[in-house]
Amino acid sequence: MAQPLETPREPTSTVAPLNPDNVALLEQEGLSLKPLDPIGVEIYGADVRNQLPEPAIKALEEEMANRGFIVFKRQAGLSPEELIDACKWWGGREIHSTHGVHPATPGRNRHIFRCSNDGRQGILGVGPQWHNDGSFEAATFSHSAYYMARAPENGGGTHFAHQGAAFDALPPEKQDLWERLVSVNSASSVTHPVVHTHPISGRKSVWLHLGMTGAIIERLPEDGLTLDQLKTLPAPADSFRLLDEAAMKELFNDYNDLLNDSFKDGYGIRYEYDTGDLLFIDNWAVAHRASPEAHLPAEQQGLRIMDRVTIKAPRNLAPHFGLPQYINMAGPHPFNKDGVWQAGGVGFRWKDDIRMQN
């Protein structure tokens, strides 16, 4: 269930309403859709043990792209195999697992990443800052599943922010700058655009991992060249620069503020789960983080057990401007020497008084 915790302001950007054609098609399959305010959709009447027809899956995938996430309600008791089979409806239609397996994971299934607020039941402390899953991969996960095997009695949900609407909320001068930026992952050296065009919705969307970024490369503007030309024309090394520490801190804090503002500006939600919720996100459309309550002890909040499954993307999230998909962060420092080039761990620490673990 979603819990509105503050009165929203007049939206500065928009999230698409449900597509009436999709609603009609899904109702023919016995499904009832409840749009959440301002993003997300709850779905009633489904049993994900039974695969939906392909047109229904396509319609739901479109709604995920437009509204960020969907939640199949009342799916308690799924086996590991049933959960994983439902995850193969989306994206590249196969599981992409990159994590370890906690001893309490059902069947020790390697495709299930079990999170909890009790270390005996799952991994502790996952995802406290805004991020997208699999940002260390060239083909970042297209979708992720969050199955609430046990919801805590006193709250412990997930925050979601729509990244297309977030881009629209930026002032024009920041849109121009951010579209010329490419991030470098501190753990894997993979590069991604800070702004990409979503393959289904067609919306320009922001993208930055606040807990695993070691550098930001800026493509410098050139008189007489449009952004599209900058993206496609060959560029010499002096056309780029690394952001320095001050610029990095400004960018990361602006990004964090932008997603925090989603709650009052109409493109974010604090979602609280019920036991048996099966939530799927479009991982290229919506950023997320665990709520602070999700990490409080089970003795205080009640036991929280969530199983995550990640789905392979059909293509890479490739950088623009002719930059390679990987730039070795363990290698020589590229571009300007005063720029940040921080390999390993959580990468660039943009704020000293918050915990980073993703």
Side-chain angles (χ1 to χ4, degrees), residues 225-278:
L225 293 182
T226 66
L227 178 65
D228 287 340
Q229 289 172 323
L230 291 176
K231 287 180 178 179
T232 56
L233 292 175
D238 61 4
S239 299
F240 299 95
R241 78 174 182 107
L242 288 172
L243 297 192
D244 61 19
E245 183 173 344
M248 287 275 281
K249 284 188 174 181
E250 179 179 2
L251 172 66
F252 282 50
N253 279 282
D254 282 352
Y255 187 84
N256 190 56
D257 292 345
L258 179 70
L259 298 190
N260 285 341
D261 286 348
S262 67
F263 305 125
K264 64 179 185 296
D265 287 346
Y267 53 94
I269 195 170
R270 299 174 174 94
Y271 191 81
E272 290 291 344
Y273 301 90
D274 295 316
T275 295
D277 279 354
L278 175 55

Side-chain angles (χ1 to χ4, degrees), residues 273-286:
Y273 301 90
D274 295 316
T275 295
D277 279 354
L278 175 55
L279 187 149
F280 289 103
I281 65 166
D282 183 318
N283 191 48
W284 289 29
V286 70

Side-chain angles (χ1 to χ4, degrees), residues 93-214:
R93 307 301 178 97
E94 60 180 287
I95 308 305
H96 186 171
S97 301
T98 59
H99 51 76
V101 179
H102 189 277
T105 300
R108 296 288 185 97
N109 192 299
R110 73 178 188 88
H111 293 312
I112 294 176
F113 181 60
R114 173 155 283 202
C115 307
S116 183
N117 57 354
D118 181 335
R120 298 166 298 181
Q121 301 295 330
I123 305 294
L124 298 172
V126 175
Q129 305 306 327
W130 290 110
H131 67 283
N132 296 81
D133 290 335
S135 296
F136 46 85
E137 294 282 342
T140 57
F141 311 138
S142 65
H143 300 79
S144 294
Y146 308 126
Y147 179 55
M148 188 54 71
R150 191 188 191 284
E153 288 80 0
N154 299 315
T158 304
H159 299 171
F160 298 101
H162 195 286
Q163 292 168 291
F167 177 81
D168 292 346
L170 284 171
E173 64 274 12
K174 286 188 177 176
Q175 290 182 345
D176 176 73
L177 171 62
W178 288 24
E179 285 197 80
R180 292 186 286 104
L181 301 179
V182 171
S183 67
V184 187
N185 188 275
S186 58
S188 69
S189 301
V190 73
T191 60
H192 294 303
V194 171
V195 176
H196 72 98
T197 299
H198 192 281
I200 296 176
S201 72
R203 294 188 73 165
K204 289 184 177 180
S205 303
V206 297
W207 176 281
L208 185 63
H209 196 306
L210 292 182
M212 201 186 288
T213 298

